[in-house]
Amino acid sequence: MTSTRERQRAAARARLEKEMAERAARARLRRRRQAIVGAGVVVLLVVAGTAWLVVSLSDNDKKSNTAAPAAGTTQCSWTELPPEQRSPQIKDVGLPPLTAKNTGSQVMTIDTNLGPITAKLNLSAVPCTAASFTHLAEKKFFDNTKCHRLVTEGLKVLQCGDPSATGNGWRETDGTGGPSYRMAEENLPTDKRPPYPEGIIAMANSGQPGSTGSQFFIVYGDSQLDPAYTVLGTVTGGMDIVKQVGAAGDDGAFAQQAGGGHPKKEVVIKTLAMSAPQG
């Protein structure tokens, strides 16, 4: 049999071994927890870094979207008409591009039943209006429409560009049509006298700023108008056609409103085309 002293030594040794095992277990647990916490920190850093990268890229996208347009171009703004303001005479062909070329020139060719009428547009003066015309021409917006208004007294203008002025005869609604968007006026002749001399093509509007649409008028005799209408370009050919229409007179249909009437000598725009920008 073992002595009492040996039993005491064995018990002390067992307690020591148990204590050392417990310490080792606690150390392993502590290291495991530290590893888990460390991994969590890494995950958080990765997530935070990803979030920062996403936000940074988003900010860069926003900056790029709001950056100044490229050299040789202009930022344009188009105001869409709300549904309640779209009459049957409004033709929706979408919106033109947001940027437009602002250097060089374009040639507009209006092929009518009486012959071609051509005009030159200066893109540095009317970049957005020219871009609108190019868009509408590509959509065949003006094709097979009639110049619906002629003024022979006080003013000498032939007005066109209403997509609802089609078919045989005239309707009371002729003169109210346009695209489903409006734009700001450009190239206002505030320093010119007269502001609208013979040979100018200008844009019609409602009299309110930012109400330019698709209707335009060709001036066939110097006209004293308030300089509130975009000067689109200058006629380079076919002015004799417009003068013949003016000489034939109008029917007075708009005499009580804006003046003039439907031209007695009918002008049908078979096609309206815009050349590629030149220069």
Side-chain angles (χ1 to χ4, degrees), residues 19-158:
E19 183 177 348
M20 292 178 67
E22 289 176 349
R23 287 179 180 177
R26 287 196 296 270
R28 286 195 298 273
L29 180 61
R30 185 165 56 252
R31 287 194 297 272
R32 188 179 300 115
R33 287 173 178 171
Q34 290 172 344
I36 292 172
V37 171
V41 170
V42 171
V43 170
L44 287 174
L45 289 174
V46 170
V47 171
T50 303
W52 173 84
L53 181 61
V54 169
V55 171
S56 179
L57 291 175
S58 176
D59 288 342
N60 287 339
D61 287 343
K62 289 178 181 178
K63 289 177 182 178
S64 64
N65 289 337
T66 57
T73 64
T74 293
Q75 191 82 17
C76 299
S77 178
W78 317 108
T79 303
E80 285 194 84
L81 295 177
E84 63 272 14
Q85 293 183 17
R86 299 189 185 189
S87 67
Q89 289 72 48
I90 296 298
K91 186 175 180 180
D92 188 352
V93 289
L95 298 176
L98 290 175
T99 57
K101 186 175 173 60
N102 62 11
T103 59
S105 62
Q106 276 184 280
V107 174
M108 179 168 67
T109 301
I110 309 170
D111 185 19
T112 78
N113 60 314
L114 303 176
I117 300 171
T118 58
K120 184 177 181 180
L121 282 60
N122 181 354
L123 297 184
S124 66
V126 287
C128 295
T129 312
S132 174
F133 260 77
T134 300
H135 172 74
L136 295 175
E138 290 173 349
K139 300 295 184 179
K140 302 187 184 302
F141 183 91
F142 300 102
D143 293 6
N144 301 311
T145 63
K146 295 187 290 187
C147 293
H148 62 279
R149 181 184 174 213
L150 177 72
V151 183
T152 59
E153 295 182 7
L155 306 176
K156 294 184 182 297
V157 299
L158 174 66

Side-chain angles (χ1 to χ4, degrees), residues 84-269:
E84 63 272 14
Q85 293 183 17
R86 299 189 185 189
S87 67
Q89 289 72 48
I90 296 298
K91 186 175 180 180
D92 188 352
V93 289
L95 298 176
L98 290 175
T99 57
K101 186 175 173 60
N102 62 11
T103 59
S105 62
Q106 276 184 280
V107 174
M108 179 168 67
T109 301
I110 309 170
D111 185 19
T112 78
N113 60 314
L114 303 176
I117 300 171
T118 58
K120 184 177 181 180
L121 282 60
N122 181 354
L123 297 184
S124 66
V126 287
C128 295
T129 312
S132 174
F133 260 77
T134 300
H135 172 74
L136 295 175
E138 290 173 349
K139 300 295 184 179
K140 302 187 184 302
F141 183 91
F142 300 102
D143 293 6
N144 301 311
T145 63
K146 295 187 290 187
C147 293
H148 62 279
R149 181 184 174 213
L150 177 72
V151 183
T152 59
E153 295 182 7
L155 306 176
K156 294 184 182 297
V157 299
L158 174 66
Q159 190 164 328
C160 318
D162 179 353
S164 71
T166 60
N168 296 321
W170 298 103
R171 298 188 304 275
E172 292 181 0
T173 53
D174 289 335
T176 62
S180 56
Y181 62 89
R182 296 291 181 266
M183 73 189 89
E185 289 69 41
E186 297 179 304
N187 195 28
L188 299 179
T190 54
D191 58 346
K192 303 291 179 61
R193 294 294 181 272
Y196 299 94
E198 179 180 310
I200 288 295
I201 295 185
M203 299 300 298
N205 62 38
S206 70
Q208 297 299 318
S211 62
T212 296
S214 62
Q215 292 192 33
F216 60 94
F217 56 90
I218 304 173
V219 183
Y220 65 94
D222 291 357
S223 298
Q224 292 293 339
L225 279 166
D226 290 336
Y229 308 93
T230 296
V231 173
L232 178 64
T234 304
V235 174
T236 56
M239 182 55 70
D240 57 323
I241 295 172
V242 183
K243 288 190 173 185
Q244 289 172 20
V245 175
D250 65 85
D251 65 5
F254 302 130
Q256 301 302 317
Q257 304 166 18
H262 306 119
K264 291 181 179 179
K265 191 177 186 68
E266 189 173 78
V267 185
V268 179
I269 297 175

Side-chain angles (χ1 to χ4, degrees), residues 8-20:
Q8 291 175 342
R9 288 177 179 174
R13 196 163 45 248
R15 286 196 299 272
L16 179 60
E17 290 175 352
K18 180 180 179 182
E19 183 177 348
M20 292 178 67

